[in-house]
Amino acid sequence: MPRQAAPPSGVPGFRFAGVACGIKESGRKDLALIVSERPAAAAALFTRNRIKSPSVTAGAQNVRRGRLQAVVVNSGNANACTGPGGLRDAEAMCAETAGHVGIGAAQVLPSSTGIIGVPLPMDKIRRGIAAAAAALSPDAFQDAAQAIMTTDNGPKTAAASCRIGGRTVRVAGIAKGAGMIAPNMATMLCYVLTDAAVAPAALRPMLRRAADGTFHAITVDGDTSTNDTVLCLANGVAGNPRVTRGGEGEDVLERALTRVMKELALKVVADGEGTTKLVEIRVDGARNIAEARKVAFTVANSKLVKTAFFGQDPNIGRFMMAIGNAGVPVVEETIDIALGGVKVVRRGLAVGTRESAAARVMQRPSFTVRIGLGMGEARTSVWTSDLGHEYVRINSDYRT
Amino acid sequence: MPRQAAPPSGVPGFRFAGVACGIKESGRKDLALIVSERPAAAAALFTRNRIKSPSVTAGAQNVRRGRLQAVVVNSGNANACTGPGGLRDAEAMCAETAGHVGIGAAQVLPSSTGIIGVPLPMDKIRRGIAAAAAALSPDAFQDAAQAIMTTDNGPKTAAASCRIGGRTVRVAGIAKGAGMIAPNMATMLCYVLTDAAVAPAALRPMLRRAADGTFHAITVDGDTSTNDTVLCLANGVAGNPRVTRGGEGEDVLERALTRVMKELALKVVADGEGTTKLVEIRVDGARNIAEARKVAFTVANSKLVKTAFFGQDPNIGRFMMAIGNAGVPVVEETIDIALGGVKVVRRGLAVGTRESAAARVMQRPSFTVRIGLGMGEARTSVWTSDLGHEYVRINSDYRT
């Protein structure tokens, strides 16, 4: 897990709000606003599910120009499978927010998360946006993180800072997600904010690369939602020389973005519905990255592997079975597997004597499964959770 | 579910045995023999997992000539990930069986199922083969069905008969499998026997076609094992005019084979580890069969859909999410979904008022989810189970 930064409290030039407007029957916070004091460079990644929430459609449209100034998010209702009315509602959320904040509706990105197939309760949402706009504050970062939660056990935040051109630049993010977590986009919702000055043309590829090793490398249940969004806003308040593609500060800013996104992504897996384990599946010796990812995700999504994690059972048969099912021409005789440094398979054969040591590794809350394919030089890591009784309980009771 | 035939008791010209030789610590039956009184036409399908048991390798080698006379199966140990010693052990099982029965070793197909990564206990197996050979009887069909079980709750058998050229032809089969069930091959082990006279060149394509709508159309956990085998032996004892490719009797025999395999395949799903529901996912309106299967299997394997089955929750969001994740360019606005005849989605929108009727359908032990894509004419069905607490309990305790 990445080093824990100080509990993040916001980013200069951004105000936040998180209020309860009655979408959630529980009365918990369910509407969040994030507003920048000036137009910010913006880049986003959205779900690759063919069935998309109209909120995603509206957000993708607005982010296309590379500039945004506000984000409005409701939790408790996903505004998905809601037809043309759903698109009108998403646009109304933007217009309502824009009216209160004094910007254009096209400067707003809307997101929704929660139950699918039910129209948004727009009266409640209008009241919620008004209340949130009145409550906007640089100090309400944690309120916003709480207001985007659904089955999450707690708010997920992360922060980092770096120096660019003699200026201190801040990066902070909030995320939500605990189920329907799968690569392409892994989290349901994530907003990363920075006061760096960046050209939109530089921000987009930076966000894509940062996602590859973070939100595109995690899985809880292999199911990708209809609403997944990762957005980055950069408002330039830090006053650094503007970061351009290939220019000064690009690397250092990308590292800070990646650090924040990695911490948030791992928090999503660790908070996966009913999760008791956070497991890194590290594949090396693949012929190329695509094959490394296929093997890693087939292992990471196998129900039999994930129940073995829950059972803390160093069951090499399940790993070998899953590796063989990846659709990659693996060679049994060159496969090595280690659990937290304890070799359990060498050249395709069980290393039987190490089983109690391997079982002790699996009792840890977090460990690494290292799979060597012995075919080439490509490597990758993905992170997954176990599959236990709590997953079943939550997902047979909870209405998505 | 297909009509239940009379409890099958065997097929003319075949003898059976099922004995306990101590591979299973429980002392249950763990070694089965099936012997034909004369060389039989033979066809088989094997796992497409890249990691194969050496027993599969040896069996695939022996069946290639299209003639076999015996099958030897042990349960409790899969003989997988056992290296060159595993292949020697599989060949020794054939030789040992051949010696007792008085046939050539290449006339025997060996199968193993159970724990992976542990060498076969060959002393026990040799004693088991001797005991089974001594016990061979036309009446021990059920003993053989019991001896191939692992986590199965009970033996799985099915039978059918048909008329070819004025002769009555019998077909009967046994199967085992409850976990690691996924298409390409769905069951772990299945042996279908008939006294029909058939040319091997006719039997092979017949078995492949019969598997398409049966063992290739079921899933429990999406994990394909290292040992899956479906074998058909046809010994000709019925005395019918030999069935050839495209010749008389081909259709009627293929229908009987398919009926037996369908009944066995559905018994495998219904007995899936911890299963409380048997659900047919019927997709129509697809552009082609490949896309229909992609959608059907993505829905059938989704952990969120399967936990919704367990929770008896007509959660249209999970169906829509899974349909959108199939990698097929579906169109939200043309999707219809019905649960057991109760329409829950029409043109992509929830039909909210029917929810209590839909919930009642899901309380049944078996029902159909009908998904209309509205894109074309292709259709298919696959069968799946729910994902409940028992699945987790069995798979976090049981050592594969």
Side-chain angles (χ1 to χ4, degrees), chain A residues 359-380:
Chain A
R360 277 197 300 278
V361 168
M362 294 183 79
Q363 286 160 17
R364 297 180 200 152
S366 181
F367 56 89
T368 299
V369 178
R370 191 162 179 168
I371 297 168
L373 298 179
M375 304 172 77
E377 300 297 321
R379 62 181 60 199
T380 199

Side-chain angles (χ1 to χ4, degrees), chain A residues 49 224 313 318 325 395 399, chain B residues 224 313 318 324-325 395 399:
Chain A
N49 196 310
T224 303
D313 177 11
R318 299 193 185 178
N325 276 331
N395 283 301
R399 170 63 66 91
Chain B
T224 303
D313 177 11
R318 298 194 186 177
N325 275 332
N395 283 300
R399 169 64 64 91

Side-chain angles (χ1 to χ4, degrees), chain B residues 41 162-165 169 194-203 206 209 234 236 239-254 257:
Chain B
C162 58
R163 299 278 295 177
I164 300 176
V169 163
T194 175
D195 58 1
V198 197
L203 191 60
M206 222 182 274
R209 287 191 300 265
N240 60 290
R242 199 163 114 122
V243 175
T244 55
R245 248 181 125 152
E248 200 205 322
E250 191 188 33
D251 284 359
V252 69
L253 181 60
E254 184 174 326
L257 284 179

Side-chain angles (χ1 to χ4, degrees), chain A residues 34-367:
Chain A
I34 303 171
V35 178
S36 172
E37 68 178 43
R38 54 170 93 158
L45 300 166
F46 298 102
T47 182
R48 294 190 194 160
N49 196 310
R50 295 289 303 199
I51 313 279
K52 288 182 204 333
S53 161
S55 305
V56 165
T57 309
Q61 170 70 27
N62 288 352
V63 79
R64 204 165 293 158
R65 280 175 309 276
R67 294 242 159 236
L68 290 173
Q69 199 165 348
V71 180
V72 55
V73 188
N74 76 274
S75 57
N77 183 318
N79 188 29
C81 303
T82 45
L87 187 58
R88 282 194 297 275
D89 288 346
E91 288 167 350
M93 281 175 70
C94 295
E96 201 79 15
T97 302
H100 286 284
V101 175
I103 58 177
Q107 294 290 99
V108 184
L109 182 129
S111 294
S112 297
T113 176
I115 187 169
I116 290 176
V118 177
L120 286 176
M122 285 306 292
D123 284 351
K124 291 176 180 174
I125 284 177
R126 281 196 185 84
R127 284 197 297 272
I129 291 172
L136 280 168
S137 154
D139 304 321
F141 184 73
Q142 294 287 340
D143 290 345
Q146 279 167 21
I148 66 173
M149 289 164 50
T150 55
T151 56
D152 307 66
N153 286 311
K156 297 173 181 74
T157 62
S161 61
C162 58
R163 299 278 294 176
I164 301 176
R167 297 299 187 112
T168 295
V169 163
R170 315 266 174 200
V171 180
I174 64 176
K176 66 82 49 177
M180 283 202 194
I181 302 297
N184 303 324
M185 303 296 301
T187 194
M188 293 184 84
L189 301 176
C190 171
Y191 309 96
V192 181
L193 313 168
T194 174
D195 58 0
V198 196
L203 192 59
R204 265 184 229 112
M206 223 183 273
L207 183 68
R208 257 200 308 272
R209 288 191 300 263
D212 274 344
T214 60
F215 287 109
H216 282 165
I218 64 173
T219 182
V220 171
D221 46 26
D223 287 320
T224 303
S225 99
T226 50
N227 292 54
D228 300 335
T229 299
V230 172
L231 173 73
C232 183
L233 296 182
N235 69 8
V237 165
N240 59 290
R242 198 163 113 123
V243 174
T244 55
R245 247 181 124 152
E248 200 205 323
E250 191 189 33
D251 285 359
V252 69
L253 181 59
E254 184 174 324
R255 276 200 297 275
L257 284 178
T258 304
R259 205 154 69 232
V260 167
M261 287 167 65
K262 173 96 170 264
E263 187 175 335
L264 291 171
L266 294 192
K267 282 180 174 174
V268 166
V269 181
D271 194 29
E273 288 168 347
T275 289
T276 69
K277 308 277 179 199
L278 172 60
V279 185
E280 178 179 356
I281 312 290
R282 192 185 305 174
V283 173
D284 60 34
R287 297 188 302 186
N288 53 58
I289 289 285
E291 292 190 350
R293 280 177 69 87
K294 271 192 183 178
V295 170
F297 273 115
T298 305
V299 172
N301 279 323
S302 160
K303 295 181 187 74
L304 287 170
V305 168
K306 287 164 71 79
T307 46
F309 289 155
F310 178 69
Q312 306 184 149
D313 177 11
N315 191 322
I316 68 130
R318 299 193 185 178
F319 294 118
M320 292 295 281
M321 172 280 300
I323 294 166
N325 276 331
V328 170
V330 296
V331 179
E332 186 175 339
E333 292 74 15
T334 60
I335 294 173
D336 290 343
I337 305 177
L339 297 172
V342 179
K343 196 96 143 187
V344 291
V345 171
R346 181 175 286 123
R347 298 178 180 239
L349 295 175
V351 184
T353 52
R354 309 303 300 283
E355 197 166 285
S356 62
R360 277 197 300 278
V361 168
M362 294 183 79
Q363 286 160 17
R364 297 180 200 152
S366 181
F367 56 89

